[in-house]
Amino acid sequence: MAIGAVAAQFVFISAAAVFAAQGQREVPDFKTEQGRAHYQRGLKYGDRGLWAPAILELNRANSLEPGNAGILMELGIVHGERKEWKQAIASLRKAAAIAPSSAQAHYNLALTLDRADPGKGAGTAEYWKALRLDPRYVQALINLAIDVGDHDAAESRRLLNRALQLDARNAQAHLNLALLLKREAQVGASIPEFRRAIELDPDLLEARRQLAELLSSEQQWDQIIEQCQEILKREPDDAGARYTLGQALIRSGKMEDGRKEFDRAQALRQRAQQLQQAQKFQADGIRELKAGKVAEAVKAFTAAVELDRSSANHMYLGIGLAASEDVKSGIRELTTALELEPSNAQAHVNLGSLYLQAGQDYLGKAEFEKALQSNPWLPEAHNNLGLVLSKANQPDQALEHFRLAADLNPQYLEAVFNLGLCERALGRLEDALSAFRRAAELAPNNARVQYALGLTLKDKGDTAGGQAAINRAARLERQSK
Amino acid sequence: MTRGWNLYRPILGSLLVLAAVFAEFHLIASEEARSSIRFRDAGAPAGLNGITICGKQRKTSVIEVNGSGVCWLDYNNDGLLDLYVMNGGTLEDLTVQRSGGLSSHHNYLYRNNGDGTFTDVTEKAGVGAFRWGTGCAAADYDNDGLTDLFLSNIGESNLFRNKGDGTFTDVAKSAGVSGGFQWHTGAAFADYDGDGYLDLYVAAYLDLPQMFQTQKQCPWQGMQVFCGPGGLKGAPDRLYHNNGDGTFRDVTRQAGMEDHDLLYGLTATWEDFDNDARPDLFVANDRGRNYLYHNLGKGKFEETGETWGAAYPIEAKAQANMGIAVGDYDHSGTMDLFVTTFSQDHFTLYHNTGKRLFFDVSGETGIASATHPFLGWGAFFADLDNDGWLDLFTSNGHVYPEAEKAKGAMEKYVQRPLVFRQSTPGVFTEVGRQSGLAGLPVFSSRGAAYADFDNDGDIDLVYTNMDASPSLLENISSPQHWVTIRTLGTRSNRDGIGARLKLTAGDLVQYASVRSGESYLSGNDPRVHFGLGRKSSIDALEIRWPSGQVDRLDSVPFDRFVTVEEDKGITQVLEPRKPLVK
């Protein structure tokens, strides 16, 4: 998989500079066939944008071959795609340390540093390392040019020209050079660069936007209209392009057409603002819910639904209502969420959970299965289905789901704990112990975890260790009361 | 005088013709700039000595950078424009203000002595205010024939009622316009509902309480500078309806002017942009779209900035708009809009088509290319050389004192003002250096306002400077013909604010309005000045008053100050004074 192109707001160009994405992939060496198989499955998922299973497979590959820089690099990239910057940078740093002569490892680390902390040139040093190893690394030249451009326009220009010497057909290099020229008020020189970027990559919308802006000072209304229409073909909801189109149409004497575009631009902007506000209410509601302020959460979720009747907002309102012990209304909202978006796996999980709470396990099971049909890598669906299966005395099947849930999200305490319980129920004490230890690491002050750990240690013959854990559990229980 | 309103010439009978004319003018614009506009520095001898501050010289918070405005008013009715200069304060002052105390800094009222000098009468008049001042608007809000002063502050606002004896009293609280402890900015008066009393709009910038928390630093061109306003919570603008009994009522919500998005309002200006005889309102917002409130009548407004094409320039990017100039620069009968903005962007001129549509003409009029490195604040259209065509002035200055230290910096903290002469209709040529400004001290300037302070028939100007006294420039351009009209309402508000004037002198037809509150947090000469060039007669003057009354005058003298009273015609004609400098 490759790191996607990033449209980062970049100060020196005062427009969206476009970082170059990853280039050719270096295929790592493997010590085990299993490791290779997991790695390749991880890449396949990643190429399809399925980040959860990609991480699952790459983690499995990594656990088999912990010193493999190639696996770590891909793992870092996938975490980066999920904006899990801490994990991404940690993996990529480790990869670069294991393979210091890999230009690509340094490049990916640099790009991820830039993305994690945009506008500060955070990747500069690593780009330089990549270029020392491979002076013909075009993407590194382009991105380094962006990073240094804020401080040193001449150096930035030199780097971009070098990139174009190596690859004259690189649209991103032309675009960034055009932006640099525009920033230096060299309008005449920047226009052909924007045009060339568009010619090489007609989907480079930033180049079209910039070109339209420059053409306005030259009163090239027909060309502005053309650029705006091309943008709108690709992004019909671009309010800015509609507004510019409106201005250009009016200038061309097409008053009514221009007026319509202004109206559309306003409607789009207002809708975008509404959605943004709804998202804010949703985030507020989640925060309140986590803080135990259920009434406030319901209020925020209701406001979100009023602004945006999306499946997600109905789902959160359902969760909030259920938390306020209005399960009936909760089920109604979750049903609405699923009517709006039948493939909303999270809504299926939440609806299933409500059925489970209400003792309607068979309905719950059906919902968890539907969730997994929509998203086979949803940890909560696996965990909850595991619970239903456990209750139905199907521990073997339950175990698979708990294990998958815990692998998909290693931080998922409930899944790890349930996995331990299930292993213990099946008499696999060693595996149970391992799961409970993982759970205890995740939640050292959880009395239930300590208690289960204690019992299992005792079962394994470690009476003193077991008793100590049980004592800890008792103490924690008392403290919580 | 005849009754009945003759509609102004329909705007842009042919847009295509206009476009063609612009194209032709574009070529002419490349001619070497020549200027018939000349100014001289009149500030030091005039005695405008009060220093205006805005926080400390080293800026650590956005609150310390926006500066303040200036207003011309004739507070003692002696026919000479006096000057009111807003002054800021320090963060320590603000803490005192917050707990109900007064700032250690005050504003200044300068009485015009009529000989090129001014006397500081702040204390005597009782208008020091002692709050962190931002903007001012002068108008006779109670129709008693005396000009009052509204001051917007960081903190509570002041409404100084003119007592007629050279003193004022602050009635903001009892009048209901103090606005609480808010960051108030631009204020503007107009009678939006035609009841004969001036209503008031007050813009607001940032939510004030957050400014007392630790201010973060943000990167700018490789340096760490204070953050804001982006990312900070805005404050709501307010519309106050004048009840006619000395009090106002907050009608923001009823009017449909709720500032839902809490955009960072700086300057507001009333003007009838669609010629429907009702004042609309334009608000310049920092880092956000501009508001254009269309007056629907019956006290209701609709926000139409985007749908009328005046929310953003053509590139559809929200600008950091600071100041506003309004004028009919092309004699089309509709009022055009100009806004100043941050550096590395262009100031924007919106052409009014008269069909409730504006379009951005900054490129072809020569404004975009000339303004790119400047960070603009004050702005106004005025016929600076009396040739019959509006010119344009902007006061400028950066917000970061360390701006020039930025790597690759192209901007400075201190910036010269820009003077755009409308060299050919539709083309503005920047002639500041050729207009006598080249040798003047340069500051980081903010508010600006024009007035014929020496009553010699040409437009002088003043602008405020950060950590310095204001600059007063006396116009010493070669004389051409002119006329200045003072409007006095009878059924309309006393100042005639909102009146639209159409002056015809042969083939020269000009349109202008009476306004209170524009530029940047400032107020211009309340009289309407027309340059006539070489026209030595005026064929007609039509005034459409806010009441709807239309007066047509066909024997208006030129090179004179003419007072026109609603429904009575010309009631006073004054000769100009001799120029202070030949």
Side-chain angles (χ1 to χ4, degrees):
Chain A
M1 75 219 65
I3 293 182
V6 185
Q9 191 64 30
F10 212 67
V11 179
F12 90 100
I13 290 168
S14 67
V18 177
F19 283 104
Q22 190 196 29
Q24 282 294 106
R25 178 181 287 134
E26 292 165 4
V27 181
D29 293 327
F30 292 95
K31 290 176 186 161
T32 64
E33 273 314 305
Q34 249 188 319
R36 181 195 300 276
H38 284 303
Y39 171 82
Q40 282 173 343
R41 276 203 292 273
L43 293 193
K44 272 187 192 163
Y45 284 129
D47 286 342
R48 287 160 59 199
L50 299 169
W51 310 123
I55 287 179
L56 177 73
E57 293 296 339
L58 290 166
N59 269 330
R60 284 173 177 168
N62 187 43
S63 66
L64 290 166
E65 298 193 25
N68 189 319
I71 296 170
L72 285 165
M73 197 156 68
E74 294 299 338
L75 196 53
I77 290 170
V78 178
H79 279 301
E81 289 296 343
R82 283 166 52 127
K83 295 186 179 161
E84 294 163 353
W85 303 120
K86 205 174 154 187
Q87 293 102 310
I89 291 168
S91 286
L92 288 163
R93 276 201 197 287
K94 210 167 163 186
I98 292 168
S101 58
S102 163
Q104 205 179 20
H106 291 290
Y107 174 84
N108 282 320
L109 175 57
L111 183 50
T112 304
L113 288 167
D114 268 345
R115 294 177 71 195
D117 196 8
K120 294 182 184 166
T124 304
E126 292 296 328
Y127 286 130
W128 277 121
K129 284 182 194 169
L131 283 168
R132 271 194 289 274
L133 292 162
D134 179 2
R136 301 174 67 82
Y137 203 150
V138 172
Q139 288 96 333
L141 285 164
I142 297 169
N143 292 357
L144 180 59
I146 295 170
D147 271 5
V148 303
D150 192 18
H151 309 288
D152 191 345
E155 176 68 355
S156 181
R157 195 166 172 172
R158 190 191 68 77
L159 290 162
L160 289 169
N161 282 328
R162 173 74 183 136
L164 285 169
Q165 275 172 6
L166 293 166
D167 180 7
R169 297 184 59 77
N170 189 308
Q172 285 166 337
H174 283 288
L175 169 60
N176 283 302
L177 181 59
L179 289 168
L180 186 63
L181 291 165
K182 184 182 168 222
R183 189 236 178 182
E184 290 183 324
Q186 297 184 45
V187 174
S190 68
I191 287 178
E193 291 296 334
F194 282 124
R195 287 194 195 283
R196 184 77 177 125
I198 294 166
E199 189 187 313
L200 291 165
D201 182 356
D203 293 331
L204 212 47
L205 301 190
E206 187 56 30
R208 292 189 185 278
R209 289 190 188 99
Q210 296 288 334
L211 182 60
E213 183 184 331
L214 291 179
L215 291 170
S216 70
S217 61
E218 305 205 340
Q219 301 161 68
Q220 304 280 350
W221 312 120
D222 289 347
Q223 290 187 46
I224 295 171
I225 291 168
E226 185 195 330
Q227 291 304 332
C228 290
Q229 285 171 339
E230 288 295 326
I231 293 168
L232 291 166
K233 259 190 224 167
R234 293 161 175 88
E235 283 186 7
D237 290 348
D238 186 329
R242 292 226 173 265
Y243 184 90
T244 302
L245 177 61
Q247 288 261 348
L249 285 166
I250 291 165
R251 299 308 309 271
S252 307
K254 296 168 186 164
M255 293 275 196
E256 285 316 305
D257 290 346
R259 195 190 298 276
K260 279 178 196 161
E261 292 302 336
F262 282 161
D263 289 344
R264 286 176 189 146
Q266 186 191 40
L268 285 168
R269 197 261 310 154
Q270 285 174 341
R271 183 68 191 137
Q273 235 171 347
Q274 270 186 344
L275 294 178
Q276 204 179 359
Q277 187 61 31
Q279 265 188 337
K280 189 183 165 294
F281 281 128
Q282 191 196 91
D284 289 348
I286 292 168
R287 199 178 51 247
E288 300 286 14
L289 204 59
K290 282 182 179 168
K293 297 177 182 172
V294 178
E296 286 87 343
V298 169
K299 198 174 159 191
F301 291 139
T302 305
V305 167
E306 278 168 11
L307 287 169
D308 175 22
R309 300 189 171 278
S310 69
S311 175
N313 284 330
H314 279 288
M315 180 186 80
Y316 279 111
L317 180 56
I319 295 168
L321 287 166
S324 69
E325 297 184 2
D326 184 358
V327 177
K328 200 175 160 189
S329 300
I331 289 175
R332 188 195 63 222
E333 289 299 326
L334 284 160
T335 307
T336 306
L338 287 165
E339 280 166 8
L340 289 166
E341 189 186 338
S343 63
N344 184 338
Q346 284 184 327
H348 280 298
V349 170
N350 285 308
L351 184 56
S353 301
L354 287 190
Y355 285 137
L356 222 56
Q357 275 177 32
Q360 295 171 301
D361 288 14
Y362 65 99
L363 288 176
K365 183 170 181 265
E367 291 301 327
F368 300 139
E369 284 167 349
K370 282 181 198 165
L372 289 172
Q373 278 167 18
S374 297
N375 180 357
W377 300 284
L378 192 63
E380 291 80 5
H382 284 292
N383 178 65
N384 292 3
L385 185 55
L387 279 175
V388 178
L389 291 167
S390 292
K391 283 171 81 178
N393 281 327
Q394 294 173 282
D396 289 325
Q397 289 176 46
L399 185 71
E400 283 311 306
H401 287 289
F402 288 136
R403 187 175 287 151
L404 210 49
D407 282 355
L408 281 163
N409 181 3
Q411 312 295 313
Y412 189 3
L413 174 68
E414 288 80 356
V416 177
F417 182 66
N418 288 335
L419 175 64
L421 290 177
C422 200
E423 299 275 23
R424 189 163 185 272
L426 287 167
R428 292 149 65 158
L429 295 181
E430 195 59 47
D431 292 334
L433 199 55
S434 165
F436 289 137
R437 282 188 171 130
R438 260 178 76 191
E441 275 174 34
L442 290 171
N445 296 323
N446 185 305
R448 286 184 69 199
V449 171
Q450 291 297 334
Y451 188 73
L453 179 63
L455 288 182
T456 313
L457 284 167
K458 274 192 167 180
D459 289 348
K460 284 274 292 171
D462 181 359
T463 314
Q467 192 55 49
I470 289 168
N471 290 346
R472 268 199 304 278
R475 196 171 58 247
L476 288 166
E477 186 72 12
R478 276 198 303 276
Q479 281 172 359
S480 71
K481 282 177 182 170
Chain B
M1 180 174 19
T2 58
R3 296 229 176 162
W5 180 242
N6 290 332
L7 284 175
Y8 287 149
R9 179 161 65 88
I11 171 63
L12 304 185
S14 164
L15 181 71
L16 292 174
V17 170
L18 185 72
V21 171
F22 278 136
E24 184 187 338
F25 293 157
H26 189 67
L27 299 173
I28 298 167
S30 62
E31 282 182 18
E32 188 186 341
R34 290 184 298 271
S35 180
S36 51
I37 300 168
R38 298 290 298 173
F39 285 102
R40 77 169 184 102
D41 185 1
L48 306 177
N49 298 323
I51 306 283
T52 50
I53 64 156
C54 187
K56 292 191 173 148
Q57 291 193 15
R58 183 176 167 272
K59 309 298 182 191
T60 57
S61 163
V62 67
I63 210 163
E64 297 180 291
V65 301
N66 284 358
S68 47
V70 61
C71 279
W72 291 102
L73 74 160
D74 181 6
Y75 83 96
N76 53 359
N77 279 339
D78 65 353
L80 294 162
L81 270 294
D82 311 298
L83 186 63
Y84 193 82
V85 182
M86 299 297 288
N87 192 9
T90 62
L91 295 171
E92 290 77 19
D93 287 331
L94 202 58
T95 307
V96 174
Q97 262 182 255
R98 190 189 195 190
S99 52
L102 291 174
S103 167
S104 60
H105 295 85
H106 63 79
N107 305 327
Y108 302 91
L109 175 61
Y110 294 104
R111 190 186 67 221
N112 188 339
N113 300 321
D115 59 358
T117 69
F118 290 78
T119 301
D120 183 345
V121 294
T122 313
E123 194 177 346
K124 188 177 166 192
V127 288
F130 292 94
R131 285 179 184 152
W132 188 317
T134 57
C136 51
D140 180 5
Y141 78 93
D142 52 1
N143 291 340
D144 65 353
L146 301 163
T147 302
D148 311 295
L149 255 177
F150 178 83
L151 310 182
S152 43
N153 298 312
I154 300 181
E156 291 191 1
S157 301
N158 302 101
L159 177 59
F160 281 110
R161 189 172 63 77
N162 191 334
K163 291 159 75 177
D165 59 357
T167 68
F168 292 76
T169 185
D170 183 10
V171 296
K173 274 213 157 110
S174 59
V177 292
S178 67
F181 194 69
Q182 271 289 13
W183 188 335
H184 303 105
T185 50
F189 282 105
D191 177 11
Y192 71 82
D193 57 352
D195 65 357
Y197 286 93
L198 290 172
D199 310 299
L200 175 67
Y201 188 87
V202 186
Y205 195 60
L206 291 174
D207 180 51
L208 207 41
Q210 69 191 322
M211 303 315 298
F212 291 93
Q213 294 157 11
T214 306
Q215 300 297 301
K216 290 180 187 164
Q217 295 270 297
C218 287
W220 179 78
Q221 297 208 350
M223 296 190 305
Q224 287 295 307
V225 295
F226 57 84
C227 296
L232 298 173
K233 187 184 171 195
D237 302 353
R238 295 269 175 247
L239 175 66
Y240 296 102
H241 177 258
N242 189 334
N243 299 322
D245 59 359
T247 67
F248 291 77
R249 187 165 39 100
D250 183 342
V251 293
T252 315
R253 180 180 286 191
Q254 297 95 302
M257 283 179 150
E258 268 190 302
D259 186 4
H260 289 292
D261 298 335
L262 293 179
L263 297 184
Y264 313 132
L266 281 174
T267 304
T269 298
W270 293 95
E271 181 56 73
D272 176 9
F273 290 109
D274 59 346
N275 288 347
D276 64 355
R278 286 191 288 256
D280 312 300
L281 182 83
F282 183 78
V283 184
N285 288 314
D286 191 357
R287 290 186 64 136
R289 70 184 192 281
N290 297 313
Y291 293 140
L292 201 167
Y293 289 105
H294 176 215
N295 189 337
L296 303 171
K298 298 181 180 172
K300 297 284 181 194
F301 291 81
E302 180 187 19
E303 207 280 284
T304 58
E306 283 160 304
T307 52
W308 287 20
Y312 318 101
I314 187 167
E315 57 268 31
K317 282 191 287 201
Q319 294 187 302
N321 288 148
M322 321 286 188
I324 305 169
V326 176
D328 178 21
Y329 74 90
D330 60 343
H331 297 179
S332 63
T334 54
M335 291 295 157
D336 308 295
L337 264 167
F338 172 86
V339 285
T340 52
T341 189
F342 211 84
S343 55
Q344 302 303 316
D345 196 351
H346 61 81
F347 301 174
T348 305
L349 176 56
Y350 293 101
H351 180 82
N352 186 347
T353 65
K355 296 178 179 174
R356 294 179 178 160
L357 284 175
F358 287 79
F359 56 77
D360 172 1
V361 293
S362 319
E364 67 254 48
T365 50
I367 282 164
S369 55
T371 55
H372 204 258
F374 292 88
L375 199 166
W377 301 88
F380 52 77
F381 283 108
D383 187 355
L384 299 174
D385 53 3
N386 278 341
D387 68 350
W389 292 90
L390 290 176
D391 308 299
L392 184 59
F393 175 90
T394 72
S395 52
N396 312 299
H398 214 282
V399 295
Y400 305 130
E402 59 273 52
E404 49 248 73
K405 291 179 192 158
K407 285 186 182 170
M410 292 185 282
E411 302 138 60
K412 288 189 168 182
Y413 182 55
V414 297
Q415 297 184 357
R416 68 183 176 89
L418 295 173
V419 178
F420 289 94
R421 179 172 176 257
Q422 195 172 177
S423 48
T424 313
V427 174
F428 290 86
T429 308
E430 207 284 302
V431 296
R433 290 184 194 283
Q434 298 95 315
S435 301
L437 272 57
L440 299 183
V442 184
F443 303 96
S444 191
S445 306
R446 296 294 186 266
Y450 69 79
D452 182 1
F453 81 89
D454 50 2
N455 281 348
D456 65 351
D458 53 29
I459 294 293
D460 313 297
L461 60 95
V462 69
Y463 50 91
T464 64
N465 301 308
M466 299 286 266
D467 306 304
S469 53
S471 297
L472 177 69
L473 302 187
E474 185 198 347
N475 194 325
I476 53 169
S477 307
S478 300
Q480 299 211 65
H481 295 303
W482 55 276
V483 65
T484 296
I485 311 292
R486 182 183 176 208
T487 52
L488 284 181
T490 52
R491 281 195 291 149
S492 303
N493 67 83
R494 179 72 180 162
D495 289 332
I497 288 170
R500 177 70 65 87
L501 286 74
K502 175 186 178 186
L503 184 134
T504 306
D507 58 355
L508 187 65
V509 182
Q510 299 180 64
Y511 302 84
S513 300
V514 184
R515 286 184 296 272
S516 167
E518 57 179 300
S519 182
Y520 174 68
L521 312 176
S522 296
N524 295 317
D525 193 330
R527 303 168 299 185
V528 174
H529 177 93
F530 293 102
L532 297 171
R534 293 182 183 176
K535 305 287 183 194
S536 55
S537 67
I538 296 169
D539 301 317
L541 172 67
E542 250 178 39
I543 303 179
R544 183 189 71 191
W545 296 88
S547 63
Q549 162 81 18
V550 178
D551 292 339
R552 183 180 166 85
L553 312 169
D554 47 16
S555 53
V556 179
F558 63 96
D559 292 346
R560 294 289 184 272
F561 293 91
V562 177
T563 299
V564 179
E565 210 161 332
E566 184 178 9
D567 207 17
K568 291 182 185 167
I570 296 171
T571 54
Q572 189 180 46
V573 176
L574 294 173
E575 291 195 8
R577 293 179 177 228
K578 284 183 183 173
L580 298 170
V581 170
K582 286 185 183 174

